[in-house]
Amino acid sequence: MTRHDRIAVLAHGRFPDDARAAIELIRYGRPEVVAVIDTARRSPVTSQLVRTLPQIPIVREFDDVDEPVDALYVGIDLARDGPTAELSEPVRRDVRAALAAGGDVVVSRAGFPVDDPEFERLAADGGGRIVDVGAPPPGRPREDDRSADVDAEVLLTVGTDRYVGTSSTAFELVAAARERGVDAALVPMSHVGVLLEGPGVSLDRVPTGRVHDAVDGLVRERGERHDLLVVEGQGAICHPGSSGQICGLLHGARPDGLVLCHSAGRELMHGYDVDLPSIPAYVDLYERLAAPVAPTTVIAGALNTMNVATPSAAREAVDDFAERLGAPATDPLRFDADALLDAIDLG
Amino acid sequence: MTRHDRIAVLAHGRFPDDARAAIELIRYGRPEVVAVIDTARRSPVTSQLVRTLPQIPIVREFDDVDEPVDALYVGIDLARDGPTAELSEPVRRDVRAALAAGGDVVVSRAGFPVDDPEFERLAADGGGRIVDVGAPPPGRPREDDRSADVDAEVLLTVGTDRYVGTSSTAFELVAAARERGVDAALVPMSHVGVLLEGPGVSLDRVPTGRVHDAVDGLVRERGERHDLLVVEGQGAICHPGSSGQICGLLHGARPDGLVLCHSAGRELMHGYDVDLPSIPAYVDLYERLAAPVAPTTVIAGALNTMNVATPSAAREAVDDFAERLGAPATDPLRFDADALLDAIDLG
């Protein structure tokens, strides 16, 4: 993928609550986000809607972006209402406008018609491209032995539930490692991750039997070029909606270490009237499940303390989590990722 | 799906080694298989190639089938070389011929062009239909609480490795239960299973995050109409190529009991230079993984003794397996499924 320096992010109708990719692109993306495009435009700037974000203009359509950009990133889930849903007219309009202006359009979801004749013609005329950064690997799964290790240190973020920060923790870890001068790379596994550091794999587009294969391929390829890989985990081994994903990632990535992510105070499984297993039970389960294929251990923990009011209470919650975990822990978003980085063997 | 009484099964170039669905349709299918269609035609009859099969003619093309049929079932993996591979000319020819004769064409794989204009026209003219029995569920995954149990007794077959008989055991269990007069149904999860008792879900077409949802929907729907459901498991919780699938099935099906399937003498994981975990370790892992969502236990075991030469050595292997399992066991294909059926609580 061509490297983009300045981009606009499409988030029609959904910024900020349902436009996670837009937010993470602003926070962690390499290219500078010069505008968020949203027909709803709940505020003129992002920082008024999400206080931890910098002040970036929100405009109603691509033609209102008043600085030149290299690309339009589609930062919402176009397949939310089914993989064959049609693009809404505002999305079509802005994709057309971006291509007509000679820019690229970057997407990572089922739901985008990659061979739309109008888009293809506009791309050909303008010199831009439609880039799909989250496509599943082609062909049949490999079944040969892949027991051999890669040189890079490989970490995988795993959760105690859905929505506990497996993605954010991976993003923070990579950013913090780079700040320390470590040659780190994300192995993106979500819609959001591939927009940040694509090309990669958007797991929601991969059939179950291919997850191990998809992550294995990326780990091998990037493991040759970097010293630290952080595989963006998705969900929890006991959550029905994500257990299959994380299981495939665990066996496919063959990580040297796991970072267990949890949300302070979370007791019931997301969407289920079921108690979350204890932290030690989770550590045990992840390690047992990995052991037959590639033994690994939980080396650190990341606690999301967003719902904890004061910093001192958050510190206390982190300490308590570390104790139950039997490993160092932090809230990488609220504090910093030092405790995680210190736990990594970068020999 | 219309019930078919007499069918032909397409297996071009691949019967018997790579035409599992054709074999299982002959063994377990409700409709009578009157011919296998294979351009390679390695023998005039199936029983000369697979000695446990009845004697069914093998012909080179649909027009050579000399008895009338209701439908042509596509019994090979059309997507083997990628989901967008084109149909080979012999496949196209026979699909055309079946539709032209007014029959249905039943498929369950990615790789079949469901809206092919020529096929659609022929179907419209002849009165037949193209039936896709393995399509993934449409729309978004449900995330509401699904803790409530279904009335039917639900079993799930789980493996110690790939290719140890999770499908065959499920097929045998359903057949044996019906022989005892139990109202049993398969919950099919494979290409083969959906051709046998479709419509269902062919897991290789379901994205990882949807497996639990797909199986849950089928279990609920069929659980209202039957007393015993056997969910066709796929692979093993420690095999990278299938761990995600079986994990999603375990959490999505919420089975009342598990049947652990193993292959006699298997020590290394299929395709990996890795020792298989012990039988007790597997029992422990499956039960631990299920516990937080819906506790279940391994109630019986199925041992594939195909590679054991004598019946007495096979009996010995089964006894040894039962002992390590701490539960009754059998080889349902070589002996019978009584030990499995006796272990089921049909109260």
mmCIF file of all heavy atoms in Angstrom, chain A residues 33-71:
data_model
loop_
_atom_site.group_PDB
_atom_site.id
_atom_site.type_symbol
_atom_site.label_atom_id
_atom_site.label_comp_id
_atom_site.label_asym_id
_atom_site.label_seq_id
_atom_site.Cartn_x
_atom_site.Cartn_y
_atom_site.Cartn_z
ATOM 1 N N VAL A 33 -4.720 12.665 10.247
ATOM 2 C CA VAL A 33 -6.140 12.783 9.912
ATOM 3 C C VAL A 33 -6.484 14.273 9.878
ATOM 4 O O VAL A 33 -6.412 14.941 10.905
ATOM 5 C CB VAL A 33 -7.028 12.044 10.933
ATOM 6 C CG1 VAL A 33 -8.511 12.260 10.600
ATOM 7 C CG2 VAL A 33 -6.701 10.551 10.968
ATOM 8 N N VAL A 34 -6.819 14.794 8.703
ATOM 9 C CA VAL A 34 -7.099 16.231 8.602
ATOM 10 C C VAL A 34 -8.589 16.536 8.721
ATOM 11 O O VAL A 34 -8.979 17.671 8.960
ATOM 12 C CB VAL A 34 -6.516 16.863 7.317
ATOM 13 C CG1 VAL A 34 -5.018 16.598 7.219
ATOM 14 C CG2 VAL A 34 -7.234 16.371 6.086
ATOM 15 N N ALA A 35 -9.433 15.498 8.551
ATOM 16 C CA ALA A 35 -10.871 15.733 8.724
ATOM 17 C C ALA A 35 -11.609 14.417 8.935
ATOM 18 O O ALA A 35 -11.199 13.376 8.416
ATOM 19 C CB ALA A 35 -11.452 16.448 7.503
ATOM 20 N N VAL A 36 -12.680 14.510 9.721
ATOM 21 C CA VAL A 36 -13.623 13.406 9.822
ATOM 22 C C VAL A 36 -14.858 13.829 9.038
ATOM 23 O O VAL A 36 -15.296 14.979 9.155
ATOM 24 C CB VAL A 36 -13.977 13.124 11.298
ATOM 25 C CG1 VAL A 36 -15.161 12.163 11.399
ATOM 26 C CG2 VAL A 36 -12.765 12.576 12.042
ATOM 27 N N ILE A 37 -15.395 12.915 8.225
ATOM 28 C CA ILE A 37 -16.551 13.256 7.395
ATOM 29 C C ILE A 37 -17.770 12.531 7.930
ATOM 30 O O ILE A 37 -17.784 11.300 8.012
ATOM 31 C CB ILE A 37 -16.295 12.857 5.930
ATOM 32 C CG1 ILE A 37 -14.991 13.504 5.439
ATOM 33 C CG2 ILE A 37 -17.467 13.268 5.052
ATOM 34 C CD1 ILE A 37 -14.567 13.031 4.057
ATOM 35 N N ASP A 38 -18.767 13.292 8.322
ATOM 36 C CA ASP A 38 -19.963 12.689 8.929
ATOM 37 C C ASP A 38 -21.162 13.572 8.628
ATOM 38 O O ASP A 38 -21.208 14.729 9.054
ATOM 39 C CB ASP A 38 -19.738 12.559 10.451
ATOM 40 C CG ASP A 38 -20.925 11.882 11.142
ATOM 41 O OD1 ASP A 38 -21.940 11.598 10.468
ATOM 42 O OD2 ASP A 38 -20.831 11.640 12.352
ATOM 43 N N THR A 39 -22.126 13.035 7.893
ATOM 44 C CA THR A 39 -23.338 13.796 7.573
ATOM 45 C C THR A 39 -24.024 14.307 8.846
ATOM 46 O O THR A 39 -24.647 15.365 8.826
ATOM 47 C CB THR A 39 -24.363 12.912 6.819
ATOM 48 O OG1 THR A 39 -24.429 11.650 7.463
ATOM 49 C CG2 THR A 39 -23.989 12.749 5.368
ATOM 50 N N ALA A 40 -23.895 13.554 9.948
ATOM 51 C CA ALA A 40 -24.576 13.943 11.189
ATOM 52 C C ALA A 40 -23.883 15.133 11.865
ATOM 53 O O ALA A 40 -24.526 15.938 12.534
ATOM 54 C CB ALA A 40 -24.634 12.761 12.151
ATOM 55 N N ARG A 41 -22.595 15.233 11.723
ATOM 56 C CA ARG A 41 -21.771 16.344 12.249
ATOM 57 C C ARG A 41 -22.278 16.861 13.598
ATOM 58 O O ARG A 41 -22.807 17.976 13.686
ATOM 59 C CB ARG A 41 -21.720 17.473 11.225
ATOM 60 C CG ARG A 41 -20.545 18.428 11.469
ATOM 61 C CD ARG A 41 -20.457 19.483 10.371
ATOM 62 N NE ARG A 41 -19.242 20.285 10.486
ATOM 63 C CZ ARG A 41 -19.247 21.602 10.681
ATOM 64 N NH1 ARG A 41 -20.366 22.254 10.775
ATOM 65 N NH2 ARG A 41 -18.116 22.245 10.770
ATOM 66 N N ARG A 42 -22.120 16.051 14.608
ATOM 67 C CA ARG A 42 -22.640 16.393 15.936
ATOM 68 C C ARG A 42 -21.880 17.540 16.587
ATOM 69 O O ARG A 42 -22.315 18.087 17.612
ATOM 70 C CB ARG A 42 -22.624 15.149 16.830
ATOM 71 C CG ARG A 42 -23.615 14.094 16.349
ATOM 72 C CD ARG A 42 -23.616 12.821 17.167
ATOM 73 N NE ARG A 42 -24.585 11.890 16.588
ATOM 74 C CZ ARG A 42 -24.329 11.057 15.576
ATOM 75 N NH1 ARG A 42 -23.118 11.009 15.048
ATOM 76 N NH2 ARG A 42 -25.269 10.276 15.099
ATOM 77 N N SER A 43 -20.742 17.868 16.018
ATOM 78 C CA SER A 43 -19.955 19.007 16.491
ATOM 79 C C SER A 43 -19.022 19.412 15.359
ATOM 80 O O SER A 43 -18.745 18.615 14.474
ATOM 81 C CB SER A 43 -19.132 18.590 17.722
ATOM 82 O OG SER A 43 -18.072 19.508 17.934
ATOM 83 N N PRO A 44 -18.528 20.669 15.375
ATOM 84 C CA PRO A 44 -17.580 21.053 14.312
ATOM 85 C C PRO A 44 -16.200 20.425 14.492
ATOM 86 O O PRO A 44 -15.439 20.349 13.540
ATOM 87 C CB PRO A 44 -17.491 22.578 14.445
ATOM 88 C CG PRO A 44 -18.565 22.981 15.407
ATOM 89 C CD PRO A 44 -18.920 21.793 16.227
ATOM 90 N N VAL A 45 -15.865 19.986 15.712
ATOM 91 C CA VAL A 45 -14.538 19.384 15.936
ATOM 92 C C VAL A 45 -14.632 18.126 16.796
ATOM 93 O O VAL A 45 -15.507 17.995 17.659
ATOM 94 C CB VAL A 45 -13.553 20.375 16.620
ATOM 95 C CG1 VAL A 45 -13.171 21.495 15.670
ATOM 96 C CG2 VAL A 45 -14.134 20.909 17.913
ATOM 97 N N THR A 46 -13.697 17.211 16.584
ATOM 98 C CA THR A 46 -13.706 15.913 17.270
ATOM 99 C C THR A 46 -13.550 16.035 18.782
ATOM 100 O O THR A 46 -14.168 15.278 19.536
ATOM 101 C CB THR A 46 -12.551 15.040 16.752
ATOM 102 O OG1 THR A 46 -11.338 15.778 16.849
ATOM 103 C CG2 THR A 46 -12.785 14.627 15.306
ATOM 104 N N SER A 47 -12.737 16.999 19.209
ATOM 105 C CA SER A 47 -12.409 17.080 20.638
ATOM 106 C C SER A 47 -13.624 17.445 21.493
ATOM 107 O O SER A 47 -13.642 17.194 22.690
ATOM 108 C CB SER A 47 -11.280 18.091 20.862
ATOM 109 O OG SER A 47 -11.566 19.282 20.145
ATOM 110 N N GLN A 48 -14.624 18.018 20.876
ATOM 111 C CA GLN A 48 -15.834 18.318 21.661
ATOM 112 C C GLN A 48 -16.686 17.075 21.896
ATOM 113 O O GLN A 48 -17.539 17.053 22.769
ATOM 114 C CB GLN A 48 -16.678 19.383 20.948
ATOM 115 C CG GLN A 48 -16.096 20.778 21.147
ATOM 116 C CD GLN A 48 -16.957 21.845 20.487
ATOM 117 O OE1 GLN A 48 -18.042 21.570 19.993
ATOM 118 N NE2 GLN A 48 -16.465 23.070 20.500
ATOM 119 N N LEU A 49 -16.442 16.038 21.114
ATOM 120 C CA LEU A 49 -17.225 14.806 21.259
ATOM 121 C C LEU A 49 -16.451 13.743 22.045
ATOM 122 O O LEU A 49 -17.040 12.951 22.776
ATOM 123 C CB LEU A 49 -17.624 14.274 19.879
ATOM 124 C CG LEU A 49 -18.549 15.201 19.071
ATOM 125 C CD1 LEU A 49 -18.700 14.704 17.643
ATOM 126 C CD2 LEU A 49 -19.918 15.328 19.745
ATOM 127 N N VAL A 50 -15.135 13.709 21.847
ATOM 128 C CA VAL A 50 -14.273 12.766 22.583
ATOM 129 C C VAL A 50 -13.123 13.580 23.146
ATOM 130 O O VAL A 50 -12.244 14.021 22.411
ATOM 131 C CB VAL A 50 -13.726 11.665 21.644
ATOM 132 C CG1 VAL A 50 -12.887 10.655 22.432
ATOM 133 C CG2 VAL A 50 -14.861 10.952 20.904
ATOM 134 N N ARG A 51 -13.156 13.773 24.480
ATOM 135 C CA ARG A 51 -12.246 14.787 25.008
ATOM 136 C C ARG A 51 -10.775 14.402 24.921
ATOM 137 O O ARG A 51 -9.901 15.263 24.979
ATOM 138 C CB ARG A 51 -12.647 15.189 26.437
ATOM 139 C CG ARG A 51 -12.431 14.146 27.463
ATOM 140 C CD ARG A 51 -12.809 14.542 28.888
ATOM 141 N NE ARG A 51 -12.945 13.332 29.699
ATOM 142 C CZ ARG A 51 -11.931 12.565 30.057
ATOM 143 N NH1 ARG A 51 -10.698 12.892 29.734
ATOM 144 N NH2 ARG A 51 -12.124 11.465 30.754
ATOM 145 N N THR A 52 -10.478 13.112 24.771
ATOM 146 C CA THR A 52 -9.069 12.709 24.674
ATOM 147 C C THR A 52 -8.506 12.842 23.259
ATOM 148 O O THR A 52 -7.345 12.556 23.028
ATOM 149 C CB THR A 52 -8.893 11.243 25.122
ATOM 150 O OG1 THR A 52 -9.780 10.429 24.349
ATOM 151 C CG2 THR A 52 -9.225 11.071 26.594
ATOM 152 N N LEU A 53 -9.330 13.279 22.318
ATOM 153 C CA LEU A 53 -8.839 13.424 20.941
ATOM 154 C C LEU A 53 -8.348 14.841 20.686
ATOM 155 O O LEU A 53 -8.820 15.792 21.311
ATOM 156 C CB LEU A 53 -9.955 13.117 19.931
ATOM 157 C CG LEU A 53 -10.420 11.670 19.815
ATOM 158 C CD1 LEU A 53 -11.483 11.557 18.727
ATOM 159 C CD2 LEU A 53 -9.247 10.737 19.509
ATOM 160 N N PRO A 54 -7.406 15.001 19.763
ATOM 161 C CA PRO A 54 -7.033 16.353 19.340
ATOM 162 C C PRO A 54 -8.193 17.006 18.585
ATOM 163 O O PRO A 54 -9.174 16.346 18.240
ATOM 164 C CB PRO A 54 -5.846 16.108 18.407
ATOM 165 C CG PRO A 54 -5.984 14.698 17.940
ATOM 166 C CD PRO A 54 -6.659 13.958 19.060
ATOM 167 N N GLN A 55 -8.040 18.280 18.325
ATOM 168 C CA GLN A 55 -9.118 19.039 17.689
ATOM 169 C C GLN A 55 -9.025 18.925 16.168
ATOM 170 O O GLN A 55 -8.219 19.592 15.536
ATOM 171 C CB GLN A 55 -8.995 20.502 18.147
ATOM 172 C CG GLN A 55 -10.102 21.373 17.615
ATOM 173 C CD GLN A 55 -10.020 22.779 18.197
ATOM 174 O OE1 GLN A 55 -9.672 22.955 19.373
ATOM 175 N NE2 GLN A 55 -10.322 23.777 17.381
ATOM 176 N N ILE A 56 -9.867 18.083 15.607
ATOM 177 C CA ILE A 56 -9.852 17.848 14.157
ATOM 178 C C ILE A 56 -11.231 18.194 13.611
ATOM 179 O O ILE A 56 -12.250 17.828 14.210
ATOM 180 C CB ILE A 56 -9.485 16.380 13.872
ATOM 181 C CG1 ILE A 56 -8.007 16.164 14.217
ATOM 182 C CG2 ILE A 56 -9.764 16.001 12.427
ATOM 183 C CD1 ILE A 56 -7.603 14.734 14.300
ATOM 184 N N PRO A 57 -11.262 18.913 12.480
ATOM 185 C CA PRO A 57 -12.566 19.332 11.956
ATOM 186 C C PRO A 57 -13.444 18.142 11.545
ATOM 187 O O PRO A 57 -12.936 17.157 11.013
ATOM 188 C CB PRO A 57 -12.232 20.169 10.714
ATOM 189 C CG PRO A 57 -10.760 20.226 10.604
ATOM 190 C CD PRO A 57 -10.145 19.395 11.665
ATOM 191 N N ILE A 58 -14.741 18.283 11.807
ATOM 192 C CA ILE A 58 -15.722 17.338 11.285
ATOM 193 C C ILE A 58 -16.491 18.069 10.196
ATOM 194 O O ILE A 58 -16.969 19.188 10.421
ATOM 195 C CB ILE A 58 -16.687 16.862 12.391
ATOM 196 C CG1 ILE A 58 -15.892 16.187 13.519
ATOM 197 C CG2 ILE A 58 -17.722 15.890 11.811
ATOM 198 C CD1 ILE A 58 -16.742 15.780 14.724
ATOM 199 N N VAL A 59 -16.564 17.458 9.010
ATOM 200 C CA VAL A 59 -17.283 18.094 7.899
ATOM 201 C C VAL A 59 -18.347 17.138 7.379
ATOM 202 O O VAL A 59 -18.336 15.961 7.696
ATOM 203 C CB VAL A 59 -16.319 18.504 6.759
ATOM 204 C CG1 VAL A 59 -15.295 19.517 7.260
ATOM 205 C CG2 VAL A 59 -15.629 17.273 6.170
ATOM 206 N N ARG A 60 -19.262 17.681 6.572
ATOM 207 C CA ARG A 60 -20.389 16.865 6.132
ATOM 208 C C ARG A 60 -20.109 16.027 4.885
ATOM 209 O O ARG A 60 -20.784 15.056 4.622
ATOM 210 C CB ARG A 60 -21.617 17.735 5.873
ATOM 211 C CG ARG A 60 -22.213 18.272 7.154
ATOM 212 C CD ARG A 60 -23.596 18.851 6.922
ATOM 213 N NE ARG A 60 -23.941 19.755 8.005
ATOM 214 C CZ ARG A 60 -24.471 19.372 9.162
ATOM 215 N NH1 ARG A 60 -24.715 18.096 9.373
ATOM 216 N NH2 ARG A 60 -24.734 20.255 10.113
ATOM 217 N N GLU A 61 -19.159 16.489 4.076
ATOM 218 C CA GLU A 61 -18.844 15.689 2.891
ATOM 219 C C GLU A 61 -17.420 15.937 2.445
ATOM 220 O O GLU A 61 -16.779 16.898 2.867
ATOM 221 C CB GLU A 61 -19.830 15.981 1.756
ATOM 222 C CG GLU A 61 -19.866 17.423 1.299
ATOM 223 C CD GLU A 61 -20.869 17.591 0.148
ATOM 224 O OE1 GLU A 61 -20.607 17.017 -0.927
ATOM 225 O OE2 GLU A 61 -21.899 18.263 0.338
ATOM 226 N N PHE A 62 -16.940 15.044 1.560
ATOM 227 C CA PHE A 62 -15.545 15.105 1.142
ATOM 228 C C PHE A 62 -15.190 16.465 0.565
ATOM 229 O O PHE A 62 -14.107 16.998 0.820
ATOM 230 C CB PHE A 62 -15.250 13.995 0.124
ATOM 231 C CG PHE A 62 -13.800 13.904 -0.269
ATOM 232 C CD1 PHE A 62 -12.897 13.174 0.497
ATOM 233 C CD2 PHE A 62 -13.321 14.577 -1.397
ATOM 234 C CE1 PHE A 62 -11.547 13.098 0.150
ATOM 235 C CE2 PHE A 62 -11.975 14.519 -1.741
ATOM 236 C CZ PHE A 62 -11.097 13.775 -0.976
ATOM 237 N N ASP A 63 -16.106 17.041 -0.201
ATOM 238 C CA ASP A 63 -15.793 18.314 -0.846
ATOM 239 C C ASP A 63 -15.672 19.473 0.139
ATOM 240 O O ASP A 63 -15.198 20.546 -0.220
ATOM 241 C CB ASP A 63 -16.832 18.621 -1.938
ATOM 242 C CG ASP A 63 -16.643 17.712 -3.154
ATOM 243 O OD1 ASP A 63 -15.518 17.199 -3.347
ATOM 244 O OD2 ASP A 63 -17.621 17.499 -3.901
ATOM 245 N N ASP A 64 -16.078 19.235 1.391
ATOM 246 C CA ASP A 64 -15.900 20.266 2.411
ATOM 247 C C ASP A 64 -14.539 20.183 3.109
ATOM 248 O O ASP A 64 -14.217 21.030 3.944
ATOM 249 C CB ASP A 64 -16.984 20.136 3.496
ATOM 250 C CG ASP A 64 -18.370 20.489 2.958
ATOM 251 O OD1 ASP A 64 -18.443 21.109 1.874
ATOM 252 O OD2 ASP A 64 -19.363 20.132 3.624
ATOM 253 N N VAL A 65 -13.766 19.143 2.836
ATOM 254 C CA VAL A 65 -12.431 19.032 3.450
ATOM 255 C C VAL A 65 -11.576 20.124 2.838
ATOM 256 O O VAL A 65 -11.391 20.158 1.623
ATOM 257 C CB VAL A 65 -11.806 17.643 3.177
ATOM 258 C CG1 VAL A 65 -10.419 17.552 3.801
ATOM 259 C CG2 VAL A 65 -12.711 16.537 3.704
ATOM 260 N N ASP A 66 -11.059 21.055 3.663
ATOM 261 C CA ASP A 66 -10.439 22.221 3.027
ATOM 262 C C ASP A 66 -8.919 22.136 2.942
ATOM 263 O O ASP A 66 -8.266 23.115 2.635
ATOM 264 C CB ASP A 66 -10.921 23.519 3.681
ATOM 265 C CG ASP A 66 -10.556 23.584 5.145
ATOM 266 O OD1 ASP A 66 -9.857 22.660 5.600
ATOM 267 O OD2 ASP A 66 -10.977 24.541 5.813
ATOM 268 N N GLU A 67 -8.357 20.949 3.197
ATOM 269 C CA GLU A 67 -6.930 20.757 2.931
ATOM 270 C C GLU A 67 -6.790 19.559 2.002
ATOM 271 O O GLU A 67 -7.601 18.649 2.049
ATOM 272 C CB GLU A 67 -6.185 20.467 4.234
ATOM 273 C CG GLU A 67 -6.298 21.577 5.258
ATOM 274 C CD GLU A 67 -5.439 21.261 6.479
ATOM 275 O OE1 GLU A 67 -4.226 21.103 6.323
ATOM 276 O OE2 GLU A 67 -6.012 21.141 7.571
ATOM 277 N N PRO A 68 -5.766 19.536 1.187
ATOM 278 C CA PRO A 68 -5.598 18.389 0.284
ATOM 279 C C PRO A 68 -5.265 17.116 1.069
ATOM 280 O O PRO A 68 -4.561 17.167 2.073
ATOM 281 C CB PRO A 68 -4.424 18.797 -0.613
ATOM 282 C CG PRO A 68 -3.700 19.878 0.130
ATOM 283 C CD PRO A 68 -4.713 20.555 1.006
ATOM 284 N N VAL A 69 -5.793 15.983 0.610
ATOM 285 C CA VAL A 69 -5.495 14.701 1.262
ATOM 286 C C VAL A 69 -5.065 13.680 0.205
ATOM 287 O O VAL A 69 -5.397 13.807 -0.970
ATOM 288 C CB VAL A 69 -6.719 14.145 2.036
ATOM 289 C CG1 VAL A 69 -7.098 15.072 3.177
ATOM 290 C CG2 VAL A 69 -7.902 13.919 1.100
ATOM 291 N N ASP A 70 -4.328 12.653 0.648
ATOM 292 C CA ASP A 70 -3.899 11.579 -0.255
ATOM 293 C C ASP A 70 -4.951 10.498 -0.393
ATOM 294 O O ASP A 70 -4.944 9.736 -1.353
ATOM 295 C CB ASP A 70 -2.652 10.853 0.288
ATOM 296 C CG ASP A 70 -1.560 11.803 0.693
ATOM 297 O OD1 ASP A 70 -1.357 12.786 -0.040
ATOM 298 O OD2 ASP A 70 -0.919 11.565 1.741
ATOM 299 N N ALA A 71 -5.776 10.398 0.654
ATOM 300 C CA ALA A 71 -6.690 9.250 0.645
ATOM 301 C C ALA A 71 -7.887 9.489 1.539
ATOM 302 O O ALA A 71 -7.837 10.266 2.486
ATOM 303 C CB ALA A 71 -5.963 7.991 1.113
#
